[in-house]
Amino acid sequence: MESLEPENDPMESCYCAVCGGPTFGVIFSSLDEKGVDRKPSYYDPEVVSPKDAEWTDEMVVIGHNQGTRRAFISGKGRNDNGAILVSPGDDPNFLDPRTNGLACYTAWSGQSPIFPIHSRCVTLLTRYMADMEDLPGIDLDILYLAFHRFAPCLPPTLKADLGQVCGRPGPWFRTYAWWCRRGEEFLVADPISLSENSVDLLRQTIRKPEFRVSPRPSRITNEILGKLPNEIVDTIVSLLNTPEMMNLCEASRAVHQALHHNNNPFWKKLIKEELPWFFELHDLIQDDELMRDRNWVAVLKWADEATTPALGMKAPWASLANRRRIWDCCKELVLPYYEAFSMFDGPLG
Ligand SMILES: [Zn+2]
């Protein structure tokens, strides 16, 4: 059985309050001249480049100004061996003189705790919350309250169960240090910026012959569904969840034809609902010429499978898988955010 003990030296770290990822201590190691991997516990730069992981150093903090009793967001910050240094930024509530050596998650000397967040994760959380129709965007006071409810004293990470990585316990459950385990490079792959080449690769993949739509041989003989008007088939399909709908679409020629005949709006809506974080695909499927004669079921299945987090993923899938993981982390924060929203009745105490 695989050992879960770290092989690299533990380094003090402090995790992002949204994604649980590192703000410090991301280490890469190449093979030596004989092709020997001397440090298997460090990330492989051939899988995700160090440049692609630089975003983990870019962070801000959310804190609480006890004078104004309001939450604040700092300017740019960085993690210096576990102590956070930040610039004031332009939030007028940032009146706190503590701009260096800040301790995360823990209240020191009567001061309120602060929560570090990757700048990339602020962007994704903002976008996630903007998609929530019954929430008026992010309120900083409420977000701070939501974080506060999840912050234990130790270790310096959130109590919230942010899920597991590839079936293995996430690094944030075990130690102060971030463990750079080979195969998990996708955890530090840039979750937002995909290169132009990557978008071209997505486009080329969709145009491959295997994604061409073709009449399906029906596994169901004497289909009663084939005798129904398309509107009735649409109604039936709308009652199914996506896996059930895709299975029926695979099995039934009538459903397959009904859903693929001049039904692009249906698929565009479904893909946005199923893969809400796959922004590049949302843009690509607006191109009717690109999507002409494409099998939408195959495209949806491929997009889902190719971006499911797994060990050893490379660009651009590593970045997309990490974005998907962080999107799920944002989902985990919705409930505490709603709870904080319902209990908030004025300036923070
Ligand atoms: Zn993060």
Side-chain angles (χ1 to χ4, degrees):
M1 184 175 168
E2 182 184 2
S3 168
L4 293 176
E5 293 303 313
E7 296 170 35
N8 51 324
D9 296 328
M11 298 179 72
E12 192 84 2
S13 194
C14 199
Y15 307 125
C16 169
V18 171
C19 78
T23 56
F24 175 75
V26 175
I27 308 170
F28 289 85
S29 166
S30 302
L31 303 180
D32 67 13
E33 64 279 0
K34 294 177 183 169
V36 176
D37 184 356
R38 292 191 182 280
K39 294 175 180 171
S41 57
Y42 292 172
Y43 288 143
D44 184 345
E46 301 291 322
V47 177
V48 168
S49 73
K51 188 164 179 46
D52 261 355
E54 285 178 356
W55 68 278
T56 58
D57 297 332
E58 299 166 6
M59 49 166 288
V60 297
V61 303
I62 289 180
H64 172 223
N65 185 317
Q66 292 182 322
T68 63
R69 301 172 69 197
R70 300 296 302 268
F72 65 77
I73 187 165
S74 74
K76 286 183 179 176
R78 65 186 175 86
N79 185 336
D80 183 16
N81 281 311
I84 304 298
L85 295 87
V86 297
S87 58
D90 52 11
D91 184 341
N93 282 304
F94 190 94
L95 301 175
D96 198 314
R98 300 173 302 157
T99 54
N100 62 65
L102 303 179
C104 307
Y105 296 97
T106 307
W108 289 94
S109 306
Q111 300 277 10
S112 306
I114 61 160
F115 301 99
I117 306 178
H118 294 127
S119 301
R120 292 280 199 270
C121 291
V122 172
T123 301
L124 287 174
L125 182 63
T126 303
R127 183 154 183 171
Y128 184 93
M129 291 292 192
D131 284 353
M132 303 286 294
E133 291 179 355
D134 50 349
L135 273 180
I138 291 182
D139 181 297
L140 209 53
D141 288 331
I142 294 170
L143 185 63
Y144 182 84
L145 198 57
F147 283 144
H148 203 280
R149 287 165 55 80
F150 273 76
C153 290
L154 294 170
T157 183
L158 291 183
K159 263 183 192 169
D161 179 1
L162 296 181
Q164 294 190 342
V165 180
C166 308
R168 298 196 272 183
W172 46 82
F173 289 118
R174 289 174 281 134
T175 177
Y176 291 103
W178 183 259
W179 297 352
C180 303
R181 295 183 298 193
R182 290 249 159 163
E184 293 182 354
E185 286 83 357
F186 77 91
L187 292 171
V188 296
D190 191 326
I192 290 185
S193 299
L194 262 63
S195 68
E196 194 61 36
N197 289 346
S198 299
V199 177
D200 284 344
L201 175 65
L202 298 176
R203 180 184 293 275
Q204 289 162 13
T205 303
I206 291 173
R207 286 311 302 173
K208 284 184 174 177
E210 57 261 42
F211 290 102
R212 183 184 173 87
V213 72
S214 57
R216 295 233 161 233
S218 175
R219 299 207 299 267
I220 303 172
T221 56
N222 197 18
E223 275 196 69
I224 190 167
L225 289 171
K227 298 170 183 161
L228 299 174
N230 280 359
E231 306 82 65
I232 303 294
V233 174
D234 280 355
T235 303
I236 292 171
V237 167
S238 70
L239 298 174
L240 305 175
N241 62 34
T242 301
E244 291 169 343
M245 182 275 294
M246 289 171 70
N247 285 339
L248 183 59
C249 197
E250 295 263 291
S252 163
R253 183 191 300 148
V255 172
H256 186 270
Q257 288 178 344
L259 293 183
H260 278 84
H261 183 68
N262 292 330
N263 218 350
N264 286 8
F266 169 84
W267 290 104
K268 289 175 182 175
K269 181 168 177 284
L270 184 72
I271 284 178
K272 282 189 176 179
E273 288 172 355
E274 290 296 313
L275 308 172
W277 40 267
F278 206 156
F279 316 134
E280 296 80 3
L281 185 60
H282 300 174
D283 291 340
L284 287 173
I285 61 178
Q286 297 306 318
D287 183 343
D288 288 335
E289 184 56 30
L290 174 70
M291 299 309 296
R292 182 175 48 80
D293 74 13
R294 297 298 88 187
N295 182 332
W296 287 91
V297 173
V299 170
L300 178 53
K301 269 188 165 179
W302 155 75
D304 180 35
E305 290 170 6
T307 58
T308 298
L311 296 176
M313 299 184 87
K314 294 186 177 181
W317 314 114
S319 290
L320 292 165
N322 201 25
R323 187 192 302 165
R324 181 175 186 161
R325 177 186 74 85
I326 296 171
W327 198 261
D328 284 344
C329 292
C330 293
K331 196 188 301 179
E332 296 283 336
L333 283 169
V334 168
L335 185 57
Y337 189 86
Y338 270 120
E339 289 175 355
F341 190 74
S342 64
M343 67 188 286
F344 183 71
D345 59 358
L348 299 169

